[in-house]
Amino acid sequence: MAAVIPGKMTVEVEGDFVVFLIGMRINKPWKLHKWLPVFLAMPRLLKELAAHPEAGCLGTINGLSVIVQYWRSFEHLEAFAKDTEDPHLEVWRQYWKRVGKDARSGIWHETFLVRAGEYEAIYGNMPPTGLGKATTLVPVAESTMARQRLKAASASPGT
């Protein structure tokens, strides 16, 4: 278990990055021969991805029904998704062969492009987690507020 870092921390990420959410929903759990193979393959696929940092995945958080991934760029994520040499592509194809349009299980993903400085992450008395585990943790300046950390423009639409 990772050590707790006392105090308030935030992250430093150089440049833009991507947050990719991917999940599975089991609509008919008794049809496990349809969805169980991809569910069981995911830990192995994530381990393989972690072994190849050059692919651009900065880190992942694994939940039961959703996985959060942080990517260096959309180009890295797209190249990974299309890589015929990576084992994930065959697992994906096999899932669609077994399930097709059958509603026994569903899969989904969402991709968010995050521009430099347009994010905030605060960790209080936590071990490295989330974006903080995938990037660099630094102490929060006590005098800063969320808007300052976000570096967000305060202009409202139309001004």
Side-chain angles (χ1 to χ4, degrees):
M1 180 174 260
V4 170
I5 300 171
K8 281 202 300 193
M9 303 295 284
T10 188
V11 295
E12 281 185 352
V13 182
E14 189 175 318
D16 300 347
F17 63 96
V18 173
V19 177
F20 181 74
L21 309 177
I22 185 166
M24 175 180 237
R25 184 173 191 277
I26 310 307
N27 298 321
K28 296 182 180 178
W30 57 90
K31 300 286 187 171
L32 46 121
H33 66 286
K34 294 287 187 176
W35 58 265
L36 190 60
V38 75
F39 183 82
L40 294 176
M42 191 57 78
R44 177 179 50 82
L45 296 175
L46 292 171
K47 187 176 180 181
E48 176 75 19
L49 183 59
H52 295 282
E54 71 278 4
C57 184
L58 301 173
T60 64
I61 301 172
N62 306 330
L64 187 57
S65 62
V66 66
I67 296 168
V68 180
Q69 296 181 335
Y70 302 98
W71 287 82
R72 177 71 272 148
S73 69
F74 180 74
E75 289 72 24
H76 282 97
L77 174 59
E78 185 178 43
F80 169 76
K82 294 179 178 181
D83 185 355
T84 58
E85 301 297 313
D86 193 90
H88 90 280
L89 197 54
E90 184 57 26
V91 170
W92 173 254
R93 288 178 177 153
Q94 289 302 316
Y95 171 82
W96 283 109
K97 282 182 184 177
R98 277 191 309 279
V99 176
K101 293 182 180 181
D102 189 321
R104 290 179 175 103
S105 65
I107 52 176
W108 60 273
H109 78 260
E110 297 175 355
T111 307
F112 301 91
L113 308 178
V114 183
R115 291 187 295 220
E118 294 187 2
Y119 59 90
E120 182 191 29
I122 297 291
Y123 309 94
N125 303 321
M126 292 283 298
T129 190
L131 187 58
K133 188 175 181 182
T135 61
T136 304
L137 279 169
V138 296
V140 171
E142 291 300 321
S143 62
T144 63
M145 303 303 271
R147 182 169 294 279
Q148 293 165 306
R149 289 188 300 269
L150 281 166
K151 301 175 192 154
S154 60
S156 51
T159 61

